[in-house]
Amino acid sequence: MSIEEKPLLRLEGIVKHFTSRDVKQQAGGKKSVAAVDGVSLTIHRNEIIALVGESGSGKSTLGRIAVGLEVPDAGKVIFHDSEWSGSRKQIPEAWRGKRQMVFQSPHSSLNPRHTIADSLAEPLRLAGWERSRTERRISTIMEWLMLPEKALERYPHQFSGGQLQRIAIGRAIAAEPELIVADEPVASLDTSTQIQILELFKTIRQETSVACLFITHGLQTVRWLADQMAVMKSGKLVEVSYAETFFSQPQHPYSRSLLEAVPVPDPTRNRISGDEEGDG
Amino acid sequence: MRIWISLFRAVVIIFSVGVLIFLLMRALPVDPLATLAGGKSANPELIAELRAQFGLDQPLFAQLGDWLFKLLQGDFGISIQTRQNVLTMIGNYLPITLQLLLGSLIVIFLISVPLGVWAGANQGGRLDQLLSSLSMLFGVVPIFFSGILVIQLFGTTLNWLPTFGEGEPGWDRVVHLLLPCLLLGLQAGSSLTRMVRSSVAEAMDQSYIRLAAAKGAGRLRIVWVHAFRASWMTIVSITAMNAGYLLVQAVLVEYTFGISGFGSIMIKAAQESDYNVVQACALVVSAVFVAANTLADWLHPWIDPRLGEREENEL
Amino acid sequence: MEDILVELQQVTIAYGSKPHDTTVVHDVGISLRKGSIHCLVGESGSGKSTLAYTTAGLLGKHAHIEAGQLSFPGGRALKLGSEAHKSWTRTKVGLVMQDPLESLHPLYRVGAQMAEAYCLADRTEKRASALQKAGALLRRMGIADSDRVLRAYPHELSGGLRQRIVIAIAIAKNPDLLICDEPTSALDVTVQRQILVLLRQIANSGKTILLITHDMGVVAQVGDSVSVMKNGSIVEEQDVYALFRSPLHAYTQKLLKATPRLDVPFWKQEDHQ
Amino acid sequence: MKRIFPTYSADWLKPLRKWFVRWPVVPAIAAAWIVFVALAALATPWLSPFDPNYGSIMDGSLSPSWKHWLGTDQQGRDIATRLLTGAGPTLIGALLCTLLAAAIGALNGLAAGLNGRWTDRISTTVWDIIMAIPGLILALVLVTVLGRNIYTASLALAIVNVPVMGRLVRAEAKVLRRTPYVEAALLAGASNRFIIWKHLLPGIIPVVFARSSLTFGYAILDLSALSYLGVGVQPPAADWGAMLAQGRHTLLVSPLGTICAGLAITLTALSFQFIGDEIQRRWSPKR
Amino acid sequence: SSTEKPSGTADVTPSPTNQGSAASEQGGKFRVGLSNDARLLDPAHTYDSATIVVEVNIVESLFHFDDNLSLQPVLVESFEQPEPTVYEYKLRKGVTFHDGTELKATDVVASLNRIKNPKTASEFNYMFKNFKSAEALDDYTVKVVLSTPDTLWNTYLATPAGGVLPEAFINKYGNDIGKPDVGVIGTGPYKFESWKTGSQITLAKNAQYWDAENPPHMDQVVFRVIPDDNTRVSAMQSGELDALHNPGGNSIGLSTELVGKVKQFKNVTVQQAETFNYDWVAINVSRKPLDDRNVRVAINQAFPQKQAVEKLLGEAGTPAKDFISPTLWTFEKDVFQQSFDKLPSYEYNLEEAKKTLASSSSPDGFTATLITDNRPSRLNLAEAFSSSLREIGIKVEIKQVSIDEYYTYLFGQNRDYDFIVGGWAPDFPDPAGNLEPLFWSGNITNGGSNRSSYSNPEFDKLLEQSNQEQDLKKRAELLASANEILVNDAPYVLLGRRVAYFAIRDEFAGYKLTPDLYDPIAARIYRVSK
Ligand SMILES: Nc1ncnc2c1ncn2[C@@H]1O[C@H](COP(=O)(O)OP(=O)(O)OP(=O)(O)O)[C@@H](O)[C@H]1O
Ligand SMILES: Nc1ncnc2c1ncn2[C@@H]1O[C@H](COP(=O)(O)OP(=O)(O)OP(=O)(O)O)[C@@H](O)[C@H]1O
Ligand SMILES: [Mg+2]
Ligand SMILES: [Mg+2]
């Protein structure tokens, strides 16, 4: 849990608006949604930050901005030392291949025409790995992901959601990137697989000191994984603190309500009777 | 803002088409006055006189400038072949072709599109094979061929429908245009059938179709409300893209059914190098095309709200 | 047992076409009690969703039902996949699919899609009143600006909102049996709690819920009974209290052990590494 | 292990390899017809005792007989022989047009869809201009200016067809560009070329095939329209379009030759559509 | 059907009014199918067959050709020729235009001046090259002065060039005359009613028609344009048309086979008449090796004319030896007959052809280009020509061009071809109507139709003399000798002359098809009682 002096990625005052048309309301009128509203966040090498928060609070958007898939309307993205802001549309050449993302929806994140082997090999190929090394790497990854080797020959539509999600994770970590943004990577996995995948992240971090922005709803699952917790609400970061602190003394009221709502895997406690009013 | 951009775009396209057609027509190794003489001899004075009357004795760019200048005043010139005012000619011929197109559009929407939806909903099945082969058939059989078949069948053998012409406005017109519209619609609609088919087939694989089924929607509702909706975009874009084309395509039915329409004068004028007529017709076609496409562009965000302004046509 | 709603029996399902097919669900049976929430947990890829789709009569064209039937206490039995089964599901079963991001129609407003559910369930329903009911349901699910949401297109909404809408659509039908395939995986825990409360209330009103989840916390909070699936078979079926007290199957034990908890001090959980 | 990774270089060709497993009947018949027609066109000079282009007026307008299966035309040429040799120019012309339109349209569409901004704006405007010009007239003028033969006719028709293909591909490319798997590849450092080659090209192939199979059918018809207007295949060479066009004046009285040419065109166009359909179906994911 | 009734038996004389038969037979509509629309219903521009068919029912000329193609006065009662260059015409009295005004000399003067006026740009302008002035001596006398004697002058006045319009109408509308919204006013049996361009022209009965013996009978005559031959025939079959006109039997008419089909229809009679319309291939004699007469003779001998006519035209054509067809021997028949018998003939004979070619400047054959457009009749002739010439080693490459380009070749300055396929119908039935436009050297360039680039001073001289020669016998001799020179030089290959057809429903009578282009078909049509 050593935090290096120089940050790997700095997000400074990121703002991102989306416009959408509301035809009925005002003819041709537009309304602007601030998906991300002035967020600053620093990620160091070897660090895992868990980003939690309300759904629709802009977590995915922030993650996409961090890897450069979305252009912020305002604010700076500083990776290593080079800076990138909205003025340039293309991702800087030197950044390529150094950051990866695990997407929220597993079904569309793999090319339906490629076999799993192809998909997993793609980043390696792009990173210039030679063939035998690629094959070895893919075998290792398949072991990590607990998927049978013969799955390599199959196409995405032949897998369950959880399996696809694991493959997507495999692709993200394959070429040993410096930063991984994982958008709810374990949401569709069963608990024991979840734990194994999280373990995997830990292992990889130890091996390659990758930094990780982990977007999740499962507070309990990241508790022992994350170094820092970041909480978002309505496009703003309401709390950033070390994991221990967060779980023991949450600062923001929203953080507290989150922690309270986490279901306890014990039917004798905290069970929902249905008598409580269902509003939040 | 969008209005101005689409207007500007429309003007650019129509202007380019005009200039292009003007230059292309003159790139042909053809003297329109030779066609006018039509197989009779003419003395040099007569030819010189005609050349002057039609302004063909001017240098190329002077002619172009003159034409454009007159266009701005709404003057399309006169036909070299018939000496009629081109604008009047188009005014005479265009309405009937537009009616023909309207009829074909109705055929397209009543026959071709449903055909595509059915085929797409049953992709791979017997019905699909039957319907798509049928629509392909309508697409590739030349109209003069199918035309004469239906004329012989309905016009002379059964004597149910008139064999030719456009009839008088009103019910008579409907009766006269029935067969032409059917053939034109089926031919023009065959590509749409296929497009709709594949887009419906694709939609049928989506999980929202499963959701609709889970809601308890019946097969008809799933196909016609949920899957069909996904093909609207295709229908509107393809129809718009084909609008100008259809105007010219109409020449085939017009010729076969003895209807004097826009397509006929355009092709005839092109064959006779009747410069002003060809140019004016090309402008009309491009205007129809641009209008249809601008309309479609405007409709797109309503049809598919996912297309933000960001995506579509900044220019 | 009197209060059993339906029973799934000997369900066997395979993917692929005949000679090369793979069976993903083997001879599975589940009984669902009226007014209870039955949880289905299990390994990812073990066939939970497949089972859910089969029950809801919505198995895709790549899969086929080898065997299986649905039986009712009165002695009536429907062959899975048969027309009788399908017409039963059409009116009596609601389904929340696993992938909420893609299961709403992208080209219709949310309001229209919800209203459709009401109107299909009750043919006499008027659209305006259906819309009102939809708004009320959304508010009950913790969506305050339900008017905006009803007017929005799915792509304008966050994943969590969309997930709630999908659940709402399933509920709108007022089904006897509600099948939820991981309904809360895209939601933050506060919203998840609201949904769970809602599910509980629905169950309390006498409906039956089949809840597929992998969050043992959720199981503990709302489940009444639990089936554990692995490799296409049900390895254990128990009352929820019994399961948490004394899991029988090795996989269940592993599952429970692996479940992280916030209520136990951090260092005590170190052992499941 | 080797078995699993044999196709890094061109792995999107993979679906092709599974083709021969299960050929459905209709596309198989369609393919057989096209092979037959192509072979017949090639072999007719050896098989038929008649010159397809020159006959003697003395043997003009003979009725079908054992010697002349479909009779002779007014020029005394064997109609069957002409029909078979006519397949050559027709197929070459339509194929060339289709291929050119597909290649130019797909590349242009990809470039426009992927690069956006100026490439996109210029391409779409040029397409619109081309589409706004009546196609037949554009083709007519181009062929007359470039020279009258089957190649220029194909080229001209290809140009007319590029915009539609381009638009379709552009739209598809725009959708594909936003899919997570393309974004993942971008993050992994993929160049535009890589994205095009590995993700977009395979993705647009169904669209390209669907459109091309249509283009093919229309190309035959449009070529015949050009023949009819006097700028297509030059006489006395036979091609189906010209035979059809010439026969239309006597359709009511001596329809045999016209019907045969029309039938040949229809069958071939249909065959290509069936094959295009099958390719599209097989190429699509999620089977 | 046609076998029961010999063609052309419909009788003109017993008109129903004269017999006082039932009034119910009067009136009604007569619907004629045409393949092309008229261009402009202005007599100054009435030179294409579709326009002529309509126009001559409305506007009458000073003269017309009778069934034997001899010149007869129409609006003129009589004329005198005090000098070879001066004509004095006495006009018929009591003739009214459709607008009710009476025909006066000033109207004739205005009409003639209009053709001469270069601003009118009349296609008939060339006929008026010798016209100097016209003058109204009184209300009913017109004096015309020519610059040089012109034997054909009165013949010209039987074409639409001699059509008479009211002076006021000319002054009012000028070059707008004949446009659909203006129409045209003449003295003919029918008046212009409406014109839906491209589709139909409607004429109405002129109740005030001057010729009381031959009044118009139909209330309306409707010309319907149906470009597709098959559809036109179908419309005739279904009863939507009463007549099909095939003006001049030229390439825009029905194909022979379709005529055969029409003959089989019940209640339809097909009339036919020989014409002076030619199908032929012009040989560009200004090109090597076609400047060699032997080459041209060889080409003629290699072309199987009889068989080609039989296969390509069938009943619709007769082989022709020269450009002065027997139908054109309207005067001094014997002179033409004698000359005709003497003409050299280039019978089809391959051996002979090879021999002739061997003795020519290009004994081993050569390659040449032939221009044709896409009309089936032309294309057929082109292909037949090309295949027959292969037999003697001449390779003819066919260049098929669009119609407008074809005409550009025909009338362009440079005549960049070796052969060009064409049809030819003269503007007036006189031998000179063929010989002068096609072979007079002055017509080689600049819009002229001398497509063979034929130039022979001797021929030119004879032709020019014949045009001024007042004595018919001498004129016939001059023309015959010119023709002999031409045939001897063989600057063309002739296929044959066309037969014209006219199909008419048996309910109608009153028209007999003649070779005359300018015979108004509707003038005497009436419905026969059953
Ligand atoms: N392309 C878009 N167009 C319009 N609005 C958008 C778009 N993408 C996201 N939004 C809006 O931006 C906000 C933030 O979305 P985002 O997907 O980042 O939320 P999230 O925190 O990831 O939510 P969840 O946990 O539900 O996935 C939401 O209100 C959403 O509706
Ligand atoms: N179309 C298909 N063709 C072949 N196999 C398939 C297909 N769809 C799913 N499968 C396989 O069927 C099995 C069960 O899939 P299912 O989606 O039911 O799993 P699940 O229990 O819902 O998993 P998860 O919790 O990850 O969603 C998986 O092993 C999957 O690989
Ligand atoms: Mg998200
Ligand atoms: Mg699942």
Side-chain angles (χ1 to χ4, degrees), chain A residues 25 187 190-191 271 273 280, chain C residues 140 151 194 204 214 223 251 263:
Chain A
Q25 220 162 33
D190 64 294
T191 328
R271 202 167 145 75
S273 66
Chain C
R140 219 173 126 202
R151 259 202 321 276
Q194 289 169 12
N204 288 353
H214 38 251
Y251 175 70
D263 57 332

Side-chain angles (χ1 to χ4, degrees), chain B residues 217-233:
Chain B
R219 171 98 185 145
L220 273 181
R221 193 174 171 85
I222 288 178
V223 171
W224 285 101
V225 176
H226 293 265
F228 177 47
R229 177 67 173 82
S231 66
W232 285 15
M233 193 73 180

Side-chain angles (χ1 to χ4, degrees), chain E residues 237-293:
Chain E
Q237 189 178 4
S238 76
E240 282 162 89
L241 292 177
D242 301 316
L244 280 185
H245 193 257
N246 177 17
N250 61 17
S251 52
I252 61 167
L254 293 179
S255 68
T256 329
E257 294 97 323
L258 272 176
V259 171
K261 169 118 186 159
V262 176
K263 280 182 179 165
Q264 291 164 6
F265 292 165
K266 260 191 235 140
N267 308 324
V268 171
T269 305
V270 175
Q271 305 179 4
Q272 61 185 63
E274 286 221 357
T275 66
F276 24 84
N277 276 15
Y278 293 84
D279 282 291
W280 58 299
V281 179
I283 303 174
N284 187 346
V285 299
S286 67
R287 296 267 211 149
K288 290 232 174 308
L290 302 171
D291 53 349
D292 183 349
R293 177 181 176 266

Side-chain angles (χ1 to χ4, degrees), chain A residues 160-162 188, chain C residues 44-45 47-50 53 98 181-182 212:
Chain A
S160 75
S188 46
Chain C
S44 133
K48 302 184 296 292
S49 302
T50 309
Y53 289 140
Q98 193 172 3
D181 193 356
E182 309 194 10
I212 298 172

Side-chain angles (χ1 to χ4, degrees), chain E residues 194-438:
Chain E
S194 69
W195 181 6
K196 250 178 81 211
T197 44
S199 145
Q200 77 175 39
I201 304 174
T202 311
L203 310 185
K205 186 198 281 183
N206 173 13
Q208 267 74 52
Y209 189 55
W210 56 268
D211 187 355
E213 281 170 23
N214 294 301
H217 300 298
M218 307 308 298
D219 286 339
Q220 270 192 334
V221 177
V222 182
F223 294 91
R224 299 294 322 245
V225 183
I226 309 173
D228 191 308
D229 297 342
N230 299 304
T231 310
R232 208 159 62 249
V233 168
S234 302
M236 188 74 186
Q237 189 178 4
S238 76
E240 282 162 89
L241 292 177
D242 301 316
L244 280 185
H245 193 257
N246 177 17
N250 61 17
S251 52
I252 61 167
L254 293 179
S255 68
T256 329
E257 294 97 323
L258 272 176
V259 171
K261 169 118 186 159
V262 176
K263 280 182 179 165
Q264 291 164 6
F265 292 165
K266 260 191 235 140
N267 308 324
V268 171
T269 305
V270 175
Q271 305 179 4
Q272 61 185 63
E274 286 221 357
T275 66
F276 24 84
N277 276 15
Y278 293 84
D279 282 291
W280 58 299
V281 179
I283 303 174
N284 187 346
V285 299
S286 67
R287 296 267 211 149
K288 290 232 174 308
L290 302 171
D291 53 349
D292 183 349
R293 177 181 176 266
N294 281 335
V295 172
R296 302 198 296 265
V297 169
I299 290 172
N300 267 291
Q301 287 168 336
F303 183 67
Q305 193 199 39
K306 273 202 193 63
Q307 290 87 339
V309 167
E310 192 182 308
K311 297 291 182 187
L312 301 184
L313 298 179
E315 283 180 25
T318 40
K321 206 167 166 184
D322 64 352
F323 269 101
I324 306 185
S325 72
T327 20
L328 291 180
W329 302 346
T330 51
F331 55 94
E332 304 298 328
K333 239 188 166 91
D334 305 343
V335 178
F336 287 113
Q337 182 72 57
Q338 270 168 26
S339 158
F340 183 80
D341 295 338
K342 282 197 309 213
L343 285 181
S345 101
Y346 310 114
E347 288 276 289
Y348 172 61
N349 186 335
L350 267 188
E351 291 316 307
E352 199 62 35
K354 280 179 191 151
K355 256 189 242 158
T356 320
L357 191 66
S359 67
S360 77
S361 59
S362 162
D364 305 323
F366 53 94
T367 306
T369 57
L370 176 147
I371 304 290
T372 174
D373 63 15
N374 57 354
R375 283 173 279 190
S377 60
R378 306 254 156 98
L379 212 51
N380 275 333
L381 177 53
E383 291 192 275
F385 183 74
S386 147
S387 355
S388 37
L389 259 57
R390 278 173 72 86
E391 305 287 328
I392 58 168
I394 301 175
K395 284 207 175 60
V396 179
E397 278 165 12
I398 299 174
K399 191 169 170 200
Q400 185 196 11
V401 299
S402 56
I403 293 177
D404 47 0
E405 208 183 339
Y406 169 78
Y407 282 127
T408 307
Y409 274 106
L410 260 190
F411 297 99
Q413 313 269 11
N414 37 6
R415 305 213 173 272
D416 184 18
Y417 53 80
D418 297 311
F419 302 104
I420 191 161
V421 175
W424 176 260
D427 286 344
F428 46 88
D430 186 276
N434 285 334
L435 298 190
E436 186 182 318
L438 292 180

Side-chain angles (χ1 to χ4, degrees), chain C residues 199-210:
Chain C
L199 288 183
R200 186 72 258 174
Q201 286 168 347
I202 290 169
N204 288 353
S205 71
K207 312 287 179 190
T208 308
I209 295 176
L210 178 63

